[in-house]
């Protein structure tokens, strides 16, 4: 089993964006030392609790401070941008760090209607154009725009010795179809939409069309995970993530709060129900329990790589969680 990381650069209560981004870099270095395969950073806008507004900048910083781990976006929100510009940004990264760059792409609008309008400078860019944009981006990366295309003759620069691997992030059958049509890797967001996993992965595999990048389907899956030596400690640490998820879904403060500051006893019943429902998106427990659950997911859906996301308050406990999971998984597969 391959373990990787997805990091949203969460800001803990009392912290700052600078601290969050410094921790992102430190966590990348730490997980590289543990043997994690890739490290992806997210893109979020107009939120006070996530510092990941410019993934391409964070990626460059992480690449400069690591040696072997693959680094990428999870993912660039393509509907807001020009395929040519995205191709040139990631080609530039590839020139500096050949073979280490992943280009993960999402269809999300990136925020509310006003935020999206600001990102596109008021230009109406329909989400339905995502497949076309994916195709154009692929053409720019591989320098094979067909004659007759409106942009034929335009080349993405600089020329790079290798091409970043493309991944499409998806939560449903629709995202799976986009990835399959262009022959890219497919990342399923189990941490957001666990009920859609079977249909999405089957669609991707059934509809996959070979490309210059891939001759056969390639899948990984992103999962929330919180791990500690005891079940009680893991549950305690996960309170931060429980409340964070609830706040995100309510459109409220998205900073991560300390577990002992959270009073679940006085939450309304519907919010308690929501927290319990969200637990389907999360693996929480001892190292052995988390490793076994990942193994079950791997066997159930034929996925051998998991991107783990851990949004808890205490940074040292977060690092320990990643370490304990890696050790337990390695032991399980010895």
């Amino acid at each position: 089993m391959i373990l990787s990381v997805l990091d949203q650069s969460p800001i803990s209560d009392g912290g700052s964006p600078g601290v969050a981004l410094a921790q992102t870099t430190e966590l990348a270095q730490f997980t590289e030392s543990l043997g994690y395969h890739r490290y992806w950073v997210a893109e979020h806008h107009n939120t006070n609790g996530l510092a990941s507004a410019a993934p391409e900048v964070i990626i460059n910083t992480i690449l400069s401070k690591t040696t072997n781990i693959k680094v990428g976006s999870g993912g660039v929100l393509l509907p807001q941008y020009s395929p040519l510009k995205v191709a040139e940004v990631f080609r530039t990264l590839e020139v500096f760090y050949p073979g280490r760059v992943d280009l993960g792409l999402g269809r999300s609008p990136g925020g509310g209607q006003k935020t999206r309008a600001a990102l596109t400078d008021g230009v109406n860019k329909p989400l339905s154009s995502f497949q076309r944009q994916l195709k154009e981006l692929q053409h720019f990366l591989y320098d094979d725009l067909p004659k007759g295309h409106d942009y034929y003759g335009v080349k993405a620069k600089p020329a790079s010795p290798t091409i970043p691997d493309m991944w499409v992030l998806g939560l449903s059958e629709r995202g799976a179809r986009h990835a399959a049509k262009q022959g890219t890797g497919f990342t399923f967001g189990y941490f957001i939409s666990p009920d859609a996993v079977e249909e999405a992965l089957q669609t991707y595999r059934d509809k996959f069309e070979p490309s210059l990048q891939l001759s056969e389907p390639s899948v990984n899956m992103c999962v929330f995970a919180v791990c500690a030596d005891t079940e009680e400690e893991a549950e305690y640490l996960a309170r931060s993530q429980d409340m964070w998820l609830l706040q995100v879904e309510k459109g409220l403060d998205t900073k991560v709060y300390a577990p002992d500051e959270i009073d679940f006893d006085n939450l309304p019943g519907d919010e308690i129900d929501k927290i319990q429902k969200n637990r389907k998106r999360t693996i929480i427990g001892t190292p052995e329990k988390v490793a076994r659950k990942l193994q079950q997911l791997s066997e159930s859906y034929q996925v051998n790589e998991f991107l783990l996301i851990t949004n808890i308050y205490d940074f040292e406990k977060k690092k320990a969680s990643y370490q304990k999971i890696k050790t337990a998984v390695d032991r399980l597969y010895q």
Side-chain angles (χ1 to χ4, degrees):
M1 182 187 295
I2 298 169
L3 294 182
S4 298
V5 180
L6 175 63
D7 187 0
Q8 296 175 315
S9 301
I11 303 170
S12 290
D13 183 43
S16 68
V19 169
L21 292 172
Q23 289 175 344
T24 284
T25 304
E26 182 179 339
L27 186 61
Q29 294 171 314
F30 181 70
T31 51
E32 178 182 52
S33 74
L34 297 174
Y36 278 75
H37 179 60
R38 67 179 96 240
Y39 197 100
W40 284 2
V41 294
E43 179 176 346
H44 293 275
H45 300 280
N46 197 29
T47 174
N48 74 320
L50 301 173
S52 53
E56 63 274 24
V57 178
I58 305 172
I59 290 168
N60 184 65
T61 299
I62 293 172
L63 284 165
S64 72
K65 295 182 181 296
T66 53
T67 305
N68 300 308
I69 195 168
K70 296 203 74 172
V71 185
S73 53
V76 168
L77 304 181
L78 186 57
Q80 280 62 264
Y81 308 117
S82 151
L84 173 61
K85 181 60 177 176
V86 173
E88 293 193 324
V89 166
F90 278 80
R91 268 182 170 249
T92 301
L93 290 169
E94 191 74 20
V95 167
F96 281 117
Y97 305 98
R100 291 188 59 203
V101 180
D102 287 331
L103 172 51
L105 300 150
R107 184 179 173 274
S108 168
Q113 184 174 354
K114 186 178 290 187
T115 300
R116 183 161 190 261
L119 285 168
T120 64
D121 197 25
V123 176
N124 181 23
K125 301 180 73 175
L127 296 177
S128 59
S129 297
F130 184 65
Q131 189 75 60
R132 172 191 61 79
Q133 289 186 297
L134 273 179
K135 188 174 182 179
E136 286 184 1
L137 174 54
Q138 211 164 33
H139 283 314
F140 281 127
L141 286 173
Y142 286 92
D143 287 331
D144 64 352
L145 275 170
K147 289 185 178 180
H149 191 283
D150 288 347
Y151 303 142
Y152 180 73
V154 177
K155 302 287 187 181
K157 301 296 182 180
S160 55
T162 51
I163 304 299
D165 289 335
M166 285 179 63
W167 294 78
V168 171
L169 284 60
L171 307 175
S172 66
E173 184 183 12
R174 179 175 59 194
R177 287 180 181 275
H178 289 315
K181 179 68 175 176
Q182 298 311 129
T184 72
F186 180 53
T187 298
F188 181 75
Y190 190 91
F191 75 119
I192 298 176
S193 185
D195 293 337
V197 58
E198 190 167 358
E199 181 181 34
L201 296 188
Q202 190 63 50
T203 296
Y204 171 68
R205 290 168 173 141
D206 288 346
K207 303 295 183 182
F208 181 83
E209 299 180 20
S211 67
L212 292 174
Q213 177 186 336
L214 292 174
S215 59
E216 58 186 25
S218 181
V219 174
N220 58 26
M221 186 184 294
C222 184
V223 183
F224 279 124
V226 180
C227 183
D229 286 331
T230 66
E231 193 76 20
E232 292 75 19
E233 184 184 6
E235 287 287 337
Y236 174 74
L237 296 174
R239 290 164 65 93
S240 292
Q241 189 166 272
D242 288 335
M243 181 55 69
W244 177 80
L245 275 171
L246 188 63
Q247 293 287 90
V248 168
E249 292 171 348
K250 292 168 64 177
L252 300 175
D253 183 3
T254 56
K255 289 189 176 180
V256 183
Y257 284 83
D260 55 8
E261 294 181 7
I262 299 168
D263 182 10
F264 284 135
D265 292 337
N266 290 318
L267 287 178
D270 62 329
E271 294 190 357
I272 295 294
D273 291 342
K274 185 64 176 175
I275 288 171
Q276 292 304 315
K277 182 179 179 181
N278 281 337
R279 284 297 186 94
K280 293 175 62 178
R281 303 153 61 178
T282 305
I283 303 173
I284 300 168
T286 63
E288 293 73 21
K289 178 181 176 180
V290 174
R292 286 196 304 271
K293 179 60 177 177
L294 289 172
Q295 183 183 44
Q296 290 167 9
L297 288 174
S298 176
E299 292 173 353
S300 295
Y301 303 114
Q302 292 78 57
V303 176
N304 72 341
E305 180 182 359
F306 293 92
L307 292 127
L308 306 180
I309 176 170
T310 304
N311 284 353
I312 59 177
Y313 177 79
D314 188 309
F315 181 63
E316 292 303 319
K317 296 292 187 181
K318 177 189 290 191
K319 289 168 61 180
S321 178
Y322 281 105
Q323 183 174 34
K324 293 176 192 302
I325 294 171
K326 185 67 168 65
T327 300
V329 167
D330 288 348
R331 185 183 303 119
L332 185 64
Y333 282 88
Q334 282 179 349

